[in-house]
Amino acid sequence: FVTRDMMVAGKRVATLADTTGPGKIILTEDLSNLESAMPANVLAKPKTYDGDSENDVVEEEQKQQDGQQTRRIYGLIKLHLHNLRDCTVIIRCKIITSTVEISNCRNVTVKVESSATVATVQADLCDGLDVQFWDAPSNQNTSLHGMLPPSLAEKAAANMKTTVFWGEDKNDRVLHAGVTNLRVSTYRDGYQDLTTTADYKEMGAKAVGNASPEEMQFVTSVVDGELMTEKVARNGNASAHGGSSRVMTEREVEEERKRKEDAPCPENLIRFIDVNKDKGKGKDTSADDNKKGGDDTKPSPTSVASEKCEEVVEEVYCSIDVDAVVHDCEAQKAKANESFAAGEYAQAVLLYTLVMDRCAELPDSDEAAKIMLEAVTKKASPSKSATPPMKQLFPRHIILSNRSASFLKLGEHEKALKDAGQAVVLDPTYVKAAFRKGLALHAMGRYQDAVPVLGAAHNIEPKNKQIKQALQFAEVRLQQEMRKRMQG
């Protein structure tokens, strides 16, 4: 039995490794009460901004500064199973990220019970893996993980019933690569409901380029009421749209393509340009030629239309219902902000990533992706007078900045820097992104880079005390570093 007492102080990621059975390993419900105190960070929070993730935590963090009770969050962040043999792992606890990673295991059964929260399983290089979901809740039922203290959580659990079971949401999946003799099953009321088997060799995994057959990834999920295993057609580990986008099968890619083709064209997405704004540049001279040619030469329909109309249609977006996508993004962002305010930073990261994935379906996604990729090579300087390079259909820079704040809370400074850098490129005037980029650089010990970024943020908002304090602190650290270099 694994309980809170067995966890190393401050650790909220559980790893079970190098164990041989026979026997059972039970992650008890007691782990759902694993708590962590989250102290306030004065330097990491300037004033509130529209849509920003830290808006809802101002009052709580101010209480922390005044010496009152700190905010606490509950549960495991993630579970890793590595190099297990001939045993059964029973999961009964809440996992904030709803993710279990399994690698190099043989003849292992993983049983997810109704009190657990596991939506995604990633299995790699395993043999004889049996994954069972016993009345396990779907990803849709995980919004309150870690938000409530044990006493309230127990009451809430007693009054709540699982309305959506694992497999009924499209994000409930078992991802696997290099796994032989895999079995995935769902159980309801003690009886087996669905089951399927998979083997990467039998499914025709082949080496592609430098990737071995074991690296080809498959997805097992519920499709039309049946468990189905499909090959991944689009991997989401390196998305140009701002993060680890959702992996998609060939079926899903085709469904997405058809959906975009069949979607109605929103009238408000017809864009116009002024024909006369670029006179002399590629001007249509057919009308002048017609005049020189005499009465027998008639002007073309194109020239007549261009003379009568000052505007022409430049581009029409007909691929998707943009209003619906933007509405979904807003709803998901609200959930992510709630998770951030509750101290569920890992969950917030996942939800912000889902927002970015949804944004990738917008018509301006290619343009935004190109601009964000420039953040790798282009050093965009935050500036109050700068002009954003594009008008976004949805403010991706706010989502990236919020996810950067979440990564900062989790100590993932490089990821925080990447997100904040992309946000700055999308909108150099957004001070929160510049501030978080500076904080990430500072946390990485890159004081020489942090000072100009924080300085630029300070120029945007000279009266912001948090930015001013962070800038002064970075300047002090930079001076200390320079002294050490001179002395060494």
Side-chain angles (χ1 to χ4, degrees), residues 177-403:
V179 178
T180 55
N181 301 312
L182 170 68
R183 177 179 295 275
V184 179
S185 307
T186 62
Y187 291 80
R188 299 281 180 83
D189 300 322
Y191 296 94
Q192 188 179 87
D193 183 35
L194 303 173
T195 187
T196 190
T197 59
D199 190 307
Y200 83 98
K201 294 180 180 178
E202 296 178 358
M203 299 194 71
K206 298 179 181 179
V208 178
N210 294 326
S212 65
E214 289 78 8
E215 295 178 76
M216 181 172 288
Q217 189 153 317
F218 297 88
V219 177
T220 298
S221 60
V222 177
V223 180
D224 297 330
E226 297 292 336
L227 277 168
M228 178 185 297
T229 298
E230 304 169 273
K231 184 172 67 175
V232 169
R234 190 172 76 191
N235 201 310
N237 291 335
S239 171
H241 301 281
S244 54
S245 63
R246 184 177 181 271
V247 298
M248 299 185 71
T249 65
E250 294 177 347
R251 172 185 53 81
E252 291 172 322
V253 170
E254 180 63 19
E255 289 177 351
E256 181 183 42
R257 183 188 65 79
K258 290 182 178 180
R259 179 174 56 82
K260 289 184 177 181
E261 288 180 352
D262 299 337
C265 177
E267 294 180 0
N268 62 336
L269 287 181
I270 300 177
R271 301 193 310 189
F272 297 90
I273 57 173
D274 188 347
V275 175
N276 299 317
K277 70 178 181 179
D278 294 324
K279 289 184 177 180
K281 297 181 180 180
K283 182 180 179 181
D284 187 358
T285 59
S286 59
D288 293 23
D289 293 339
N290 291 335
K291 291 180 180 179
K292 293 179 182 179
D295 296 335
D296 294 336
T297 306
K298 295 182 180 180
S300 66
T302 303
S303 63
V304 173
S306 63
E307 287 177 354
K308 291 183 178 180
C309 302
E310 293 184 354
E311 294 179 327
V312 295
V313 178
E314 179 190 48
E315 185 175 2
V316 181
Y317 293 138
C318 300
S319 59
I320 57 172
D321 185 346
V322 174
D323 291 338
V325 175
V326 171
H327 181 270
D328 289 346
C329 289
E330 289 287 358
Q332 199 71 266
K333 183 185 75 172
K335 292 180 181 179
N337 287 352
E338 289 176 2
S339 293
F340 186 95
E344 281 191 336
Y345 304 120
Q347 181 74 1
V349 166
L350 293 179
L351 293 173
Y352 287 130
T353 300
L354 290 177
V355 178
M356 292 303 298
D357 292 345
R358 195 75 169 108
C359 284
E361 300 178 21
L362 290 170
D364 63 349
S365 61
D366 289 340
E367 183 181 1
K370 183 178 179 181
I371 292 171
M372 286 188 285
L373 286 175
E374 292 178 357
V376 179
T377 56
K378 180 180 178 182
K379 293 184 177 180
S381 299
S383 174
K384 188 175 183 179
S385 60
T387 302
M390 65 175 290
K391 185 176 181 180
Q392 304 177 75
L393 295 173
F394 184 82
R396 297 172 178 82
H397 60 284
I398 294 178
I399 303 303
L400 289 165
S401 178
N402 289 350
R403 193 169 68 177

Side-chain angles (χ1 to χ4, degrees), residues 458 461-466 468:
H458 185 249
E461 285 195 0
K463 296 182 179 180
N464 192 307
K465 295 181 180 180
Q466 286 79 18
K468 184 177 180 180

